[in-house]
């Protein structure tokens, strides 16, 4: 069943209300907010990478508070253990049995703050739950429920005391983006509201957790023309053929691009995907999955730069059916 025009209009209305609500915390960053919400309604995870003090944590908290569900925050530190994230089995002496005590990962929106400050072993504790939606402790699986979204923040890897995220974990993030510093006018607005507690990020809820799950299911029904699938396939193949890359985008990356393009189309009030949806998301979805050739990196080539050039080189389809 394909999304109807009425469903697309309703989806866009909720999406716009959420965007406006979150922008009260993160001023002047509408595009970043829309990308974050695209990850939420695509049932994926978001990685925010930027310098300290740009509002990464505030954005994550604003999203969590805008959804009337459960939320938790994990501050990643070098001494954090995997069990501190997933939970542990504790022996109950009166009953003579082990009982599972769930960790903070059991929430609808999980903020993993400064994820690259924890050891690789602790970072890996998130892998199963991000991919499968379950936690396995002592051989028993525990589902975390739906919706489930990890919003991870990290400082650039050049910052002292950080660990580079492995490619396997980066691939679990549906989108990666950065916020950047605000412009002069936006900075003035922020300073005028400086009496508010820094990084509070609290916003009134706009939608329930069940509502998010329902709209995410509707987003999956957005129509994708065969020409769009062909375009995405050619883009992904181009990342593998590029001289600057040692490892291109996988089939999982192609599926992620289609998934997010469906949500992006619905957020614009359309029940079908157009090439511009794919172009808008190619960088945030594909760039962090590329492994650049060391010589290209030395010459200053970036993954986003590679994607930008590929978008110029690979022609988009012409007429796309709305079906």
């Amino acid at each position: 069943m394909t999304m109807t025009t009425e469903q697309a209009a309703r989806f866009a209305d909720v999406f716009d209300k959420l965007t406006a609500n979150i922008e009260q915390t993160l001023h002047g960053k509408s595009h970043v907010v829309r990308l974050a919400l695209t990850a939420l309604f695509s049932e994926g995870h978001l990685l925010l990478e930027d310098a300290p003090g740009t509002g990464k944590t505030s954005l994550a908290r604003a999203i969590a508070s805008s959804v009337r569900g459960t939320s938790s925050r994990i501050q990643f530190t070098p001494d954090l253990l995997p069990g501190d994230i997933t939970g542990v089995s504790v022996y109950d002496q009166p009953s003579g049995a082990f009982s599972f005590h769930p960790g903070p990962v059991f929430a609808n929106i999980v903020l993993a703050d400064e994820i690259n400050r924890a050891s690789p072993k602790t970072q890996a504790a998130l892998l199963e739950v991000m991919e499968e939606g379950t936690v396995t402790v002592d051989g028993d699986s525990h589902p975390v429920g739906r919706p489930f979204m990890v919003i991870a923040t990290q400082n650039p890897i050049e910052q002292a005391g950080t660990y580079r995220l492995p490619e396997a974990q980066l691939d679990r993030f549906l989108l990666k983006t950065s916020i950047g510093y605000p412009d002069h006018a936006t900075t003035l607005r922020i300073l005028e509201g400086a009496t508010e507690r820094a990084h509070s990020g609290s916003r009134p809820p706009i939608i329930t957790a069940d509502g998010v799950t329902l709209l995410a299911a509707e987003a999956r029904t957005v129509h994708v023309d065969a020409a769009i699938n062909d375009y995405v396939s050619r883009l992904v193949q181009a990342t593998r053929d590029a001289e600057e890359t040692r490892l291109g985008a996988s089939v999982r990356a192609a599926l992620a691009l289609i998934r997010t393009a469906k949500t992006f189309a619905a957020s614009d009030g359309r029940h079908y995907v157009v090439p511009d949806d794919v172009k808008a998301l190619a960088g945030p979805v594909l760039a962090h999955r590329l492994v650049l050739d060391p010589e290209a990196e030395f010459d200053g080539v970036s993954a986003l730069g590679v994607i930008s050039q590929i978008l110029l080189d690979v022609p988009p389809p012409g007429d796309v059916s709305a079906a």
Side-chain angles (χ1 to χ4, degrees), residues 180-204:
Y181 291 112
D183 58 24
H184 176 68
T186 303
T187 301
L188 289 178
R189 288 179 59 194
I190 294 171
L191 294 177
E192 288 169 359
T195 54
E196 298 179 7
R197 183 181 176 185
H199 305 300
S200 65
S202 179
R203 303 301 310 158

Side-chain angles (χ1 to χ4, degrees), residues 229-250:
N229 286 328
D230 178 74
Y231 181 46
V232 169
S233 179
R234 288 185 286 118
L235 288 175
V236 169
Q237 185 60 48
T239 67
R240 302 166 188 163
D241 297 337
E243 294 181 355
E244 301 88 348
T245 60
R246 190 177 63 183
L247 183 67
S250 64

Side-chain angles (χ1 to χ4, degrees), residues 18 21-27 29 32-37 39-40 45-50 54-76 107-115 149-154 173 177-179 199-204:
L18 278 168
N21 193 51
I22 296 169
E23 273 197 282
Q24 297 301 308
T25 293
L26 199 73
H27 301 291
K29 298 294 180 179
V32 175
V33 173
R34 295 186 76 85
L35 285 177
L37 291 176
L40 174 65
H45 309 291
L46 174 68
L47 178 61
L48 298 172
E49 182 181 66
D50 219 325
T54 52
K56 302 183 297 297
T57 303
S58 296
L59 172 61
R61 285 177 171 171
I63 293 174
S65 61
S66 296
V67 176
R68 192 182 288 114
T70 58
S71 63
S72 64
R73 177 179 181 271
I74 308 169
Q75 179 63 55
F76 278 70
N108 296 127
I109 307 292
V110 178
L111 169 57
D113 215 358
E114 296 187 301
I115 187 174
M149 180 186 186
V150 173
I151 304 175
T153 71
Q154 71 169 2
F173 288 99
T177 188
S178 61
I179 297 174
H199 305 300
S200 65
S202 179
R203 303 301 310 158

Side-chain angles (χ1 to χ4, degrees), residues 121-134:
K121 182 179 180 180
T122 301
Q123 291 173 6
L126 279 177
L127 282 176
E128 180 195 12
V129 66
M130 289 175 64
E131 184 67 17
E132 306 294 339
T134 60

